[in-house]
Amino acid sequence: MDVNDLLTEGYGRLPDLVAGALDGLGPEQLRQAPADGANPVGWLVWHLTRIQDHHVTDVMGKEQLWVGGDWARRCGLRPDPDDTGYGHGPEQIAAVRPDDGGVLLDYHRAVVDRSLAYLRGLGPADLDRVVDDNWDPPVTLGVRLVSVLDDDLQHVGQAAYVRGLIRR
């Protein structure tokens, strides 16, 4: 298996995991935190999708789907390209108000589809390109793509766990 196959396999698993975490939840359940200070399913899915949209489109040199589409309005937010959920406090978490789970899943699938198309076109040398020299050592494209996948998998696991705590 080459690295493109490995990355596309990993990213390609995310939509089914996201769909499982969202399955059957209504708008109120998407915003229901299991405890004070905990993140609700809707915010977790929104955040993991925003991170992928933000980071992958950055290395692609493209506009985020969040900015160019209707996703922000359908989540009760502005299309701020820098708002990924990082550092959100309780008020900002509560402001993420998706119309329903379908909007989150559709946005997520659109982001993953775009990421997969990009991944399929990469060669081994592309993964060595430095995409962020604010770190020591500098971050390569390969490291950034693995980091995004790792972050997404952690958050979708959290969303699935929180989903299990919600009384339906």
Side-chain angles (χ1 to χ4, degrees):
M1 177 179 274
D2 69 21
V3 72
N4 290 60
D5 292 341
L6 187 62
L7 286 169
T8 56
E9 176 67 25
Y11 277 79
R13 290 178 182 210
L14 290 167
D16 286 343
L17 296 171
V18 165
L22 296 171
D23 186 41
L25 298 181
E28 290 305 315
Q29 292 165 319
L30 291 171
R31 295 188 290 266
Q32 181 182 339
D36 287 341
N39 296 319
V41 172
W43 185 88
L44 287 162
V45 170
W46 171 82
H47 170 65
L48 73 89
T49 306
R50 286 294 300 123
I51 289 295
Q52 187 176 150
D53 192 13
H54 180 273
H55 287 24
V56 176
T57 56
D58 180 57
V59 297
M60 292 172 66
K62 303 279 185 182
E63 180 181 67
Q64 296 172 35
L65 296 176
W66 180 254
V67 173
D70 194 31
W71 307 112
R73 183 192 62 77
R74 295 182 63 200
C75 288
L77 300 167
R78 295 180 5 258
D80 179 350
D82 296 321
D83 186 8
T84 63
Y86 184 76
H88 270 193
E91 288 180 18
Q92 294 155 309
I93 291 168
V96 178
R97 301 180 63 82
D99 292 343
D100 56 38
V103 67
L104 292 171
L105 185 57
D106 290 347
Y107 173 47
H108 182 76
R109 284 183 173 148
V111 168
V112 169
D113 287 349
R114 187 182 207 188
S115 295
L116 290 172
Y118 175 66
L119 292 171
R120 288 184 190 106
L122 295 177
D126 294 319
L127 298 174
D128 292 330
R129 176 173 60 95
V130 172
V131 297
D132 188 348
D133 57 9
N134 292 314
W135 299 91
D136 185 19
V139 177
T140 63
L141 178 59
V143 168
R144 176 62 45 88
L145 293 170
V146 169
S147 175
V148 169
L149 179 59
D150 175 62
D151 186 72
D152 282 1
L153 288 168
Q154 288 187 54
H155 286 307
V156 77
Q158 292 167 349
Y161 179 79
V162 171
R163 180 189 188 284
L165 298 175
I166 295 173
R167 290 191 172 89
R168 289 174 280 168

